[in-house]
Amino acid sequence: MDLNVKKICCIGAGYVGGPTMAVIAKNCPHLEVNVVDKNQSRIDAWNESDLDKLPIYEPGLKDIIKRYRGINLHFSSDIKTNIANADLIFISVNTPTKTKGFGAGQASDLKWIDSSAREISKYAKGQTIVVEKSTLPVRTAQTIKEILEGAASNTKSNSEKPKFSVLSNPEFLAEGTAIDDLENPDRVLIGGDNQESISILVDIYKNWISEEKIITTNLWSAELSKLIANAFLAQRISSINSISALCEYTGANISEVSLAIGSDKRIGEKFLNAGPGFGGSCFKKDISNLIYIANHYGLTEVSEYWQKVIDINEWQTKRISKLIVEKLFNTISSKKICILGFAFKANTNDTRESPAIKICKELLEESCKISIYDPKVNCKQIENDLLVKQSNELSENETGEWIFANSIIEASVNSDAIIVATEWEEFKFINWRKIYKEMRKPAWVFDTRSIINIQEVKDSGINYWRIGEGITQ
Ligand code: UDX
Ligand code: ADP
């Protein structure tokens, strides 16, 4: 493949496509990077002059957009032109779990991958490298190849037919640290069967990443490794969460256990924070997909093993909702509960699969009143997630209702309990004496992330429960 890459197109301006292309544009001034999306309002938000209105919140992202947007980084809904002009195209579209049909609840929904491949085959010209960025089931590259080749022969004469080469280059960034993960990745993984295309993509990354960190493999290993990396990370969280429950019964302390086991180099210290269960768009989806693939090949024991990682995750969230009700004298009807944090983790405005959603829904079922404060998640997003409209004010009725709050103090006024659901930095420095004065007594705080200043809580007079801690005062 004799190709000099000058223009890159990325289909999908989401949590992966947006930050990844911003970092490529920053580090490759010689390349023109065009990010396209069929969602016009998302593109408009990326082009907002007020950088606080970008569709995604990521530390460090605003600065890059400010410096490179309109220079060599462009956001557009003109999919046709940008595909036609591109030498290399990243597919970075959403691949959620199917909600109906064959494989519902487990298999990935590939309809957006399918339509992206068809758009590429329709509009691409000449030689084009197509790179899978989205997390995909193993062997999806084969599907993409077949669509690219098949659809092109439907619409184009032999002389006009573009030539494609497909690579898998899964993204390992985590939300909240995306820019740093992209600038300083542990590794870059590129899978493919065309050595020249692989070298072209390697050369792009070499603009800011040392060659030793770039791993090249065959297509299937790259696709599978991404699923497995996420499955292993999620498995660690389910392991530590299962032990947090045991700590609560035995008087051990999960933070101390994490420290003790994590200092063994073979185990390692990262990803050992017990919490309300993992959220985010990847972990559950990828393990479900792994289970689906294992079942497909008749590997029942393998699928059952990974199913348990999901089961423990769901159990962990549910047991927290249940114990909150129990500690509040087995009834929360008409009581006010303040939820601090709604994002699935700190430093993102993303709420996909956030444990806070499940906890709120379970508590609303018990007819309580909820006030929600999150530094970055807006009211509209919470309405979409809870499928319940915000109330103008909390009534005296015995119905589950929620209201959005603009600060910690506003959310906590007259509440019976506060639940810390996301580990936002500002929650570590709450003045609990001040908060206690605003709450109904007996007042409770439930720290599902083990981040609050416990001495301050004790001194304030608030009762507390902390994840993985045996004795409650
Ligand atoms: C994850 C992977 O880390 C990343 O490599 C992949 O590209 C996408 O999926 P992300 O979902 O953005 O990234 O965030 P991550 O930091 O992995 O956290 C996922 C969930 O696990 C969050 O809900 C987080 O709160 C939870 N978590 C993480 C814990 O409960 N304990 C931990 O120790 C770490
Ligand atoms: P991720 O977290 O994987 O980045 P997102 O849902 O945040 O997922 O972003 C995926 C984006 O891809 C969405 O903005 C969606 O509109 C876009 N998209 C999906 N299919 C297509 C398509 N065929 N053409 C253009 N954009 C697409």
Side-chain angles (χ1 to χ4, degrees):
M1 186 169 265
D2 182 20
L3 185 63
N4 181 12
V5 173
K6 291 197 187 76
K7 291 192 181 187
I8 289 181
C9 172
C10 172
I11 305 180
Y15 281 90
V16 175
T20 308
M21 293 307 119
V23 170
I24 292 184
K26 179 189 162 203
N27 290 291
C28 305
H30 57 290
L31 296 177
E32 182 184 307
V33 181
N34 294 292
V35 189
V36 296
D37 203 296
K38 60 182 180 167
N39 179 339
Q40 184 64 52
S41 60
R42 202 161 219 193
I43 290 297
D44 292 344
W46 279 109
N47 285 320
E48 258 287 344
S49 49
D50 179 353
L51 293 173
D52 286 324
K53 292 190 177 148
L54 292 178
I56 286 166
Y57 171 74
E58 270 300 333
L61 177 64
K62 239 174 24 177
D63 290 345
I64 303 182
I65 300 294
K66 191 171 161 195
R67 280 166 60 199
Y68 299 95
R69 192 178 60 189
I71 309 287
N72 68 332
L73 174 65
H74 309 274
F75 295 90
S76 161
S77 52
D78 184 353
I79 297 175
K80 180 177 170 179
T81 311
N82 283 298
I83 287 181
N85 291 341
D87 308 303
L88 185 147
I89 301 173
F90 286 102
I91 304 182
S92 195
V93 299
N94 36 333
T95 51
T97 305
K98 280 180 83 173
T99 51
K100 55 183 186 177
F102 298 116
Q106 287 188 333
S108 287
D109 193 338
L110 296 179
K111 71 178 170 213
W112 292 279
I113 291 287
D114 188 298
S115 63
S116 305
R118 281 170 207 278
E119 280 160 0
I120 296 172
S121 74
K122 198 160 154 200
Y123 304 128
K125 295 201 173 108
Q127 293 189 335
T128 312
I129 301 175
V130 176
V131 185
E132 302 172 337
K133 250 296 161 219
S134 322
T135 309
L136 295 164
V138 62
R139 297 202 77 84
T140 306
Q142 187 58 32
T143 311
I144 295 180
K145 276 184 187 171
E146 285 173 26
I147 294 176
L148 289 174
E149 279 152 25
S153 38
N154 282 339
T155 53
K156 294 182 176 154
S157 67
N158 272 348
S159 59
E160 282 185 311
K161 253 191 226 163
K163 286 203 170 54
F164 295 111
S165 146
V166 178
L167 300 178
S168 165
N169 170 218
E171 187 44 66
F172 294 99
L173 68 81
E175 288 176 31
T177 52
I179 301 301
D180 193 41
D181 294 343
L182 287 159
E183 294 271 20
N184 306 297
D186 288 345
R187 79 311 208 176
V188 167
L189 178 58
I190 301 174
D193 48 21
N194 180 311
Q195 208 46 52
E196 277 178 271
S197 310
I198 293 176
S199 304
I200 289 170
L201 190 55
V202 168
D203 283 344
I204 293 177
Y205 282 109
K206 269 169 46 188
N207 283 293
W208 77 100
I209 294 161
S210 64
E211 205 167 351
E212 309 85 73
K213 283 191 173 176
I214 305 177
I215 302 171
T216 57
T217 64
N218 76 28
L219 268 171
W220 324 123
S221 303
E223 286 182 336
L224 189 60
S225 301
K226 168 68 195 197
L227 279 189
I228 304 310
N230 277 345
F232 268 56
L233 290 169
Q235 179 204 40
R236 260 174 95 87
I237 300 170
S238 276
S239 298
I240 204 73
N241 282 346
S242 71
I243 303 306
S244 72
L246 198 54
C247 286
E248 287 160 31
Y249 283 104
T250 55
N253 183 315
I254 197 66
S255 305
E256 292 174 357
V257 174
S258 293
L259 179 71
I261 64 166
S263 21
D264 183 328
K265 282 200 194 75
R266 294 167 303 174
I267 296 174
E269 62 184 3
K270 300 217 170 103
F271 259 69
L272 286 179
N273 296 322
F278 55 75
S281 67
C282 287
F283 284 173
K284 186 172 173 201
K285 177 188 83 173
D286 289 351
I287 298 180
S288 301
N289 203 236
L290 183 60
I291 292 167
Y292 184 71
I293 295 170
N295 275 332
H296 173 80
Y297 291 111
L299 298 169
T300 313
E301 284 74 9
V302 177
S303 75
E304 283 172 358
Y305 174 76
W306 289 102
Q307 181 61 47
K308 278 284 160 221
V309 175
I310 295 184
D311 293 348
I312 287 283
N313 198 51
E314 282 168 7
W315 171 80
Q316 176 80 344
T317 315
K318 206 169 191 122
R319 84 176 179 88
I320 292 176
S321 308
K322 203 163 159 235
L323 75 82
I324 291 168
V325 177
E326 280 166 10
K327 297 257 184 235
L328 297 178
F329 311 109
N330 285 308
T331 174
I332 54 168
S333 174
S334 297
K335 288 182 182 161
K336 183 178 167 192
I337 300 194
C338 158
I339 307 283
L340 296 185
F342 200 77
F344 79 95
K345 62 184 277 195
N347 294 321
T348 177
N349 60 345
D350 196 349
T351 61
R352 286 178 288 183
E353 299 288 339
S354 177
I357 302 175
K358 284 183 241 161
I359 293 176
C360 285
K361 282 187 170 168
E362 277 156 5
L363 298 183
L364 284 172
E365 280 287 299
E366 297 287 320
S367 307
C368 71
K369 313 287 166 187
I370 292 182
S371 58
I372 303 173
Y373 167 71
D374 186 287
K376 291 289 172 198
V377 180
N378 62 39
C379 178
K380 199 162 161 258
Q381 184 60 51
I382 300 175
E383 269 185 359
N384 286 344
D385 290 329
L386 293 181
L387 302 170
V388 180
K389 261 186 97 58
Q390 183 196 194
S391 303
N392 291 333
E393 57 182 320
L394 297 177
S395 69
E396 304 280 307
N397 307 338
E398 284 196 14
T399 45
E401 287 175 332
W402 73 276
I403 195 162
F404 185 76
N406 288 302
S407 65
I408 299 172
I409 197 89
E410 183 188 321
S412 60
V413 171
N414 289 332
S415 62
D416 298 88
I418 294 178
I419 302 170
V420 178
T422 312
E423 73 283 21
W424 284 101
E425 195 64 12
E426 64 182 279
F427 302 156
K428 295 179 187 165
F429 306 103
I430 294 175
N431 180 338
W432 289 103
R433 281 171 196 265
K434 198 167 149 200
I435 297 284
Y436 180 63
K437 288 193 191 131
E438 302 295 337
M439 297 178 75
R440 270 202 341 162
K441 320 292 178 311
W444 274 89
V445 57
F446 297 89
D447 181 7
T448 73
R449 300 279 187 168
S450 209
I451 54 153
I452 60 172
N453 183 330
I454 217 64
Q455 196 52 49
E456 283 229 9
V457 172
K458 280 183 189 162
D459 294 346
S460 73
I462 305 181
N463 301 297
Y464 78 93
W465 172 88
R466 188 156 58 156
I467 189 96
E469 192 173 297
I471 299 145
T472 50
Q473 20 212 307

